[in-house]
Every structure is written in structure tokens, then in C-alpha cells.
């Protein structure tokens, strides 16, 4: 009704019917086809009419006009006619919302049972006027006189002036996001309810977290609410009802950063800060994630005499976690280390500090979240390697603290988490043995009390005086997964 600008151009049209004539054509409306086209409809209270009659004159925004013959015919009210929005009748002085009960025009209107129409293409937004040209009108190009079926009920019903909007042309005249043809089905304007129209709405909420093998998963509970109603001919709705369906829960892992730290922990305990060393690690975790660690360390030590050596080093490592969400950890390390020869063997000691930058992303159902944070890992290690020509015992202990700063995830608010800062102290013991297989080739088997078992082979080859090439491979098995590491290094002695 808000787009209705004028209701009649009777002053410009010759009177061809008496205003006392019983209502015959008694409704007028239009429906956009969604492609820039428009179906214009004219309704009659005569039931079962099987023929078109009369013409429509269209006045376009630029003032150009054309007179065209009706080509569409329907015994059901066309889909998409919404009373008061794009569907009207007359109260004798103006166009009012169509109501088959006559409530909007003092009982004048009877139902429309037959509609004739015309399809316009390539319309643009702007003001249009549609004028009904009955047979016998001076502007009519058709012979004959109007029949009772298609005589206008009055002069008001003959004209409709509207501002066509993008919503009109796209088929959503009331701009509610639902196509008019889906909102009011064919036949609904005949005065009987149609439908039901069904609108589904989903809702999701996080209901908890579950500890599982290797980490934690997030659980999202989902419901779907289907709301149904009947669209009545007067534009109202009736018989509204809703039905709630419990959908399967969505679950997804949230331990991507923790998994990255697990991969790092295995690699960190085997780092070498003497010479220039490169390391590559490939891991497959029990929680379905995979990835690895790669990087380089550099360093050296100095012989201080009396069997004591002191040195230091630094390193850069990059950890990648994939396959069930992702996490990237970029680590910068500094190290102090040394060794002391004693009667029974050699005591090795080291202090290492790592600064870690984390980025992570994950999905759970249709939801996506990401996070950025940082943290540190600092550990002290003391290892004793006993004497032995071929086999040597190994004992050690490691004490450390790992912290990850808190962060708030970005992305879908339904599943975004605010994660608190964590600080974890850890201690593990080491027991194992080294064996010299042949000169320059050493095998080592270690068991760590935190559940990590490592089997490795290292090769040393003198390239020239005071220059040694080292290479090694290790297989690491943990409670959380397994990995293989390869390292190559070059040591220059001074």
C-alpha cells in the first residue's frame, strides 16, 4: 500500500461503463519474476472464464507508452499476490488492500476467481502507470464491446500507479528476504488458506568439552526449528505451529597447539648445539593430526681443561600441524651447555630457552575459528654417559616449564573460545644405553619416563683436520604418536 501513488485516471479516460454496474473486474496486482520482468494481473469475480479480453496501457518512467493485449489466463490467483503490497481492490474512491470479504471497501468487493495478465520484460526501477483499456474504449485497438466477465467494477480499478523498486523486480515486493511466489502460493487469494509455508531456523550452542585420546574435543549441540503457517487471502497468516528437531551434534578437536608442543618436545630433547646442524622431523599423531618440525641450530664449545667444556648456541625451528585443524609454531632458541669428564664417564648439562609464536585454526561443522598467541619453554637437562669400550649406560633427568599465553579466538561466535594462560611444569627421567657398532657409528636406545622412547643411529666422519661431518636418524614413539627425525651437521673444532 505504501507504494501506491495514484488510484485512477478516470478524468482522462472516457466512461464506458456505469458506476452502478455490479462488480466484474474487481482486483489488480503485479508480481516480479526475479529477472527484471513483471507479470501484471487483473482479476474478475466471474468464475470459470475461459477467454482474455481488453488491453493494458503502460506509461513508463520516461513517459513512453504502449498498449498491449492480455496473454495470460488463470483460474487460480497467481502466486505472489500480497494484499496491500502488490494486490488491491477499489472502495470506489481509491485502491485499498484486496479482501474477498469486503472488509476493506464496505462490502463492495466479491472474490476474484479468474485472472488475466501480461508479462513485461526489461523493466527498470521508477514510476509506472498501468491503465486498463476495456473493449469499446477510445484507446482500444480491438473491436467489440466489453463482456460482463471483464467490465471494470468502477473507474478506480482501471488504473494503478506505482514506484517499481529493485525488490519488486526481484520478486520480493515487501523486502522480507522471501520471494513473493514462495510467500503466497497460487490459489491463496481465492479466500482459502494455502500452504503450509515452512521456514527453517537452526540454532547451535557449545554444550561441553570431552577429554579424549591425545587431547580435547568441543561438542556443539544443534537444533532445527521448522515454523509452518497458512497464508490467508487477506495477507494474514493462520494455523502457525513450530516443530523442533534435534540434529546430530558436531564435534571437533581444540588441541592443535597442544599437539604442536608435543611434536616440539620430542625434537627438543635431541637437539645438538655443537657446529651447524639441520633437523627434519615427520610426525603422525594418534589424534589424527600430522606434521613435523624443521630447522637449524648453531653453536660450539671450548675446552677449559681438566675435562671441562663450556659452550652455547642458538636455533630456529618451525613446527607445522595439519589434518585436523592446524597450528604453526615458530621457535627461537638459545642454549648454554657443557660437559665434565669424571672417573666413571661424562656428565653433560644444558640450559635451553625457547620463545614460541603460535597461530592456529580449526573447524567444527560449518564453524571456523582461529587464534594467535605466544609462549616460552625453558628446560634444564643433566645426562650421565658411563664408560665402556662398546656399550655405555645413559642416565639423565630433565626439568622444565612451558607456558602459553591466553588468547581469544576469532571467527564464528558460536564456537569461539577464550583460552586462559597455561603454565606447565614437567620433569622426566632418562635411562638407556649407547653402543659403538663400529668406529664412527653409534646406536642409542633411550626410555624417558614421560612415555617417549627413542632409537637412533649417529654417524661421524672426519672430513679433514678438526672438521667432522655428522648425520643421524631416530625413531621416536610416544603415548601421543610416532615420529622420525633426520639430522645432518658439520662440526669445526678449535
Amino acid at each position: 500500500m505504501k507504494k501506491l501513488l495514484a488510484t485512477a485516471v478516470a478524468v482522462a479516460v472516457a466512461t464506458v461503463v456505469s458506476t452502478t454496474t455490479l462488480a466484474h473486474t474487481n482486483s489488480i496486482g503485479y508480481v516480479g519474476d526475479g529477472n527484471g520482468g513483471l507479470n501484471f494481473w487483473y482479476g474478475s469475480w466471474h468464475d470459470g472464464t475461459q477467454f482474455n479480453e481488453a488491453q493494458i496501457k503502460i506509461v513508463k518512467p520516461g513517459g513512453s507508452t504502449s498498449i498491449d493485449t492480455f496473454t495470460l489466463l488463470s483460474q487460480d490467483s497467481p502466486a505472489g499476490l500480497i494484499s496491500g503490497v502488490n494486490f488491491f481492490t477499489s472502495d470506489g474512491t481509491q485502491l485499498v488492500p484486496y479482501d474477498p470479504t469486503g472488509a476493506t471497501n464496505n462490502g463492495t468487493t466479491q472474490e476474484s476467481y479468474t485472472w488475466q495478465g501480461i508479462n513485461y520484460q526489461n523493466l527498470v526501477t521508477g514510476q509506472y502507470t498501468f491503465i486498463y483499456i476495456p473493449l469499446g474504449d477510445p484507446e482500444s485497438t480491438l473491436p467489440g464491446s466489453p463482456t460482463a466477465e471483464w467490465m471494470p467494477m468502477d473507474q478506480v480499478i482501471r488504473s494503478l500507479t506505482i514506484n517499481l523498486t529493485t525488490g519488486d523486480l526481484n520478486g520480493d515486493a515487501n523486502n522480507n528476504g522471501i520471494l513473493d511466489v514462495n510467500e503466497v502460493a497460487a490459489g491463496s487469494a481465492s479466500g482459502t488458506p494455502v500452504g503450509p509455508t515452512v521456514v527453517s531456523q537452526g540454532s547451535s550452542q557449545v554444550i561441553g568439552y570431552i577429554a579424549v585420546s591425545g587431547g580435547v574435543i568441543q561438542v556443539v549441540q544443534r537444533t532445527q526449528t521448522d515454523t509452518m503457517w497458512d497464508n490467508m487471502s487477506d495477507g494474514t497468516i493462520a494455523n502457525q505451529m513450530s516443530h523442533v528437531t534435534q540434529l546430530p551434534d558436531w564435534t571437533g578437536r581444540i588441541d592443535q597447539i597442544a599437539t604442536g608442543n608435543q611434536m616440539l618436545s620430542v625434537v627438543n630433547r635431541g637437539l645438538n648445539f655443537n657446529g651447524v646442524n639441520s633437523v627434519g622431523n615427520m610426525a603422525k599423531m594418534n589424534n589424527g593430526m600430522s606434521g613435523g618440525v624443521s630447522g637449524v641450530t648453531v653453536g660450539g664449545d671450548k675446552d677449559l681443561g681438566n675435562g671441562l667444556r663450556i659452550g652455547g648456541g642458538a636455533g630456529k625451528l618451525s613446527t607445522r600441524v595439519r589434518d585436523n585443524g592446524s597450528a604453526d609454531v615458530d621457535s627461537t632458541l638459545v642454549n648454554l651447555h657443557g660437559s665434565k669428564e669424571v672417573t666413571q664417564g661424562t656428565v653433560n648439562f644444558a640450559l635451553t630457552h625457547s620463545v614460541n609464536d603460535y597461530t592456529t585454526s580449526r573447524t567444527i561443522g560449518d564453524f571456523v575459528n582461529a587464534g594467535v598467541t605466544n609462549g616460552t619453554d625453558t628446560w634444564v637437562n643433566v645426562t650421565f654417559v658411563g664408560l665402556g669400550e662398546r656399550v655405555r649406560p645413559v642416565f639423565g633427568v630433565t626439568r622444565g616449564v612451558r607456558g602459553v599465553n591466553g588468547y581469544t579466538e576469532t571467527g564464528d561466535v558460536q564456537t569461539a573460545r577464550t583460552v586462559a594462560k597455561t603454565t606447565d611444569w614437567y620433569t622426566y627421567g632418562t635411562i638407556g644405553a649407547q653402543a659403538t657398532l663400529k668406529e664412527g657409528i653409534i646406536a642409542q636406545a633411550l626410555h624417558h619416563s614421560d612415555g617417549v622412547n627413542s632409537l637412533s643411529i649417529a654417524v661421524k666422519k672426519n672430513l679433514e683436520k678438526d672438521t667432522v661431518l655428522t648425520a643421524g636418524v631416530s625413531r621416536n614413539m610416544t603415548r601421543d604418536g610416532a615420529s622420525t627425525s633426520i639430522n645432518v651437521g658439520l662440526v669445526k673444532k678449535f
Side-chain angles (χ1 to χ4, degrees), residues 5 58 112 124 128 157 163 310 342 355 368 393 422 431 433 438:
L5 302 180
I58 181 173
S112 294
V124 297
Y128 291 79
I157 201 69
N163 266 331
I310 297 293
V342 295
V355 177
V368 179
T422 60
I431 186 172
K438 59 184 300 185

Side-chain angles (χ1 to χ4, degrees), residues 5 10 12 31 80 83 91 95 135 150 153 183 210 213 224 231 257 265 277 346 360 394 396 403-404 423 446 476 484:
L5 302 180
V31 180
S83 176
D91 67 359
L95 292 179
L135 296 180
W150 294 114
M153 65 181 290
E183 193 168 355
I210 300 175
S213 175
Q224 176 178 305
N231 294 291
I257 286 180
S265 175
N277 303 276
T346 301
T360 181
V394 178
V404 179
T423 301
L446 299 177
N476 311 292
T484 301

Side-chain angles (χ1 to χ4, degrees), residues 39-362:
N39 288 333
F40 188 89
W41 294 101
Y42 213 69
S44 170
W45 72 279
H46 282 274
D47 193 10
T49 302
Q50 300 294 321
F51 59 90
N52 293 110
E53 183 180 293
Q55 295 170 298
I56 280 289
K57 178 181 180 180
I58 181 173
V59 182
K60 298 181 180 180
S64 62
T65 65
S66 66
I67 296 177
D68 304 285
T69 302
F70 286 104
T71 57
L72 307 175
L73 189 67
S74 176
Q75 303 301 317
D76 290 319
S77 62
L81 292 176
I82 304 173
S83 176
V85 177
N86 58 0
F87 192 29
F88 307 95
T89 188
S90 169
D91 67 359
T93 60
Q94 63 181 344
L95 292 179
V96 294
Y98 172 83
D99 187 333
T101 69
T104 59
N105 61 357
N106 301 315
T108 300
T109 298
Q110 302 178 47
E111 278 191 53
S112 294
Y113 291 101
T114 303
W115 285 261
Q116 61 177 343
I118 184 173
N119 177 260
Y120 293 103
Q121 290 294 319
N122 302 317
L123 300 185
V124 297
T125 58
Q127 181 174 301
Y128 291 79
T129 298
F130 300 89
I131 304 169
Y132 183 74
I133 308 296
L135 296 180
D137 186 270
E139 291 191 274
S140 175
T141 62
L142 300 176
S145 300
T147 63
E149 284 86 346
W150 294 114
M151 280 195 299
M153 65 181 290
D154 58 24
Q155 292 301 313
V156 174
I157 201 69
R158 290 188 57 187
S159 175
L160 175 65
T161 299
I162 54 174
N163 266 331
L164 280 184
T165 67
T166 300
D168 292 320
L169 297 176
N170 287 340
D172 184 13
N174 58 1
N175 294 308
N176 66 350
I178 304 174
L179 289 177
D180 299 331
V181 294
N182 292 334
E183 193 168 355
V184 179
S188 65
S190 63
T192 58
V194 298
T197 294
V198 180
V199 174
S200 295
Q201 182 177 8
S203 65
S204 302
Q205 62 176 341
V206 177
I207 61 172
Y209 299 87
I210 300 175
V212 295
S213 175
V216 179
I217 63 173
Q218 185 182 58
V219 182
V220 175
Q221 185 180 67
R222 301 188 300 138
T223 60
Q224 176 178 305
T225 302
D226 295 317
T227 302
M228 297 165 284
W229 64 83
D230 293 324
N231 294 291
M232 308 305 291
S233 60
D234 61 358
T236 62
I237 64 175
N239 305 321
Q240 182 169 320
M241 59 187 300
S242 296
H243 176 70
V244 179
T245 302
Q246 190 72 41
L247 301 177
D249 292 342
W250 279 339
T251 61
R253 302 198 72 96
I254 59 172
D255 51 356
Q256 288 79 16
I257 286 180
T259 300
N261 283 333
Q262 291 164 2
M263 293 181 183
L264 262 177
S265 175
V266 171
V267 173
N268 283 343
R269 65 191 70 198
L271 293 177
N272 182 3
F273 289 93
N274 271 332
V276 179
N277 303 276
S278 64
V279 59
N281 171 274
M282 296 175 292
K284 181 68 175 178
M285 310 304 286
N286 296 336
N287 60 14
M289 301 182 200
S290 62
V293 183
S294 61
V296 62
T297 62
V298 295
D301 61 13
K302 182 175 179 58
D303 187 352
L304 301 182
N306 296 320
L308 178 64
R309 301 186 72 90
I310 297 293
K316 291 285 290 186
L317 297 178
S318 178
T319 304
R320 300 292 180 261
V321 180
R322 296 295 184 266
D323 296 333
N324 200 333
S326 69
D328 294 338
V329 190
D330 292 322
S331 304
T332 302
L333 304 94
V334 292
N335 167 270
L336 295 174
H337 64 272
S339 63
K340 173 64 175 176
E341 295 179 0
V342 295
T343 304
Q344 298 82 8
T346 301
V347 177
N348 301 295
F349 47 89
L351 169 64
T352 307
H353 177 71
S354 174
V355 177
N356 302 320
D357 294 318
Y358 301 91
T359 60
T360 181
S361 65
R362 63 187 183 88

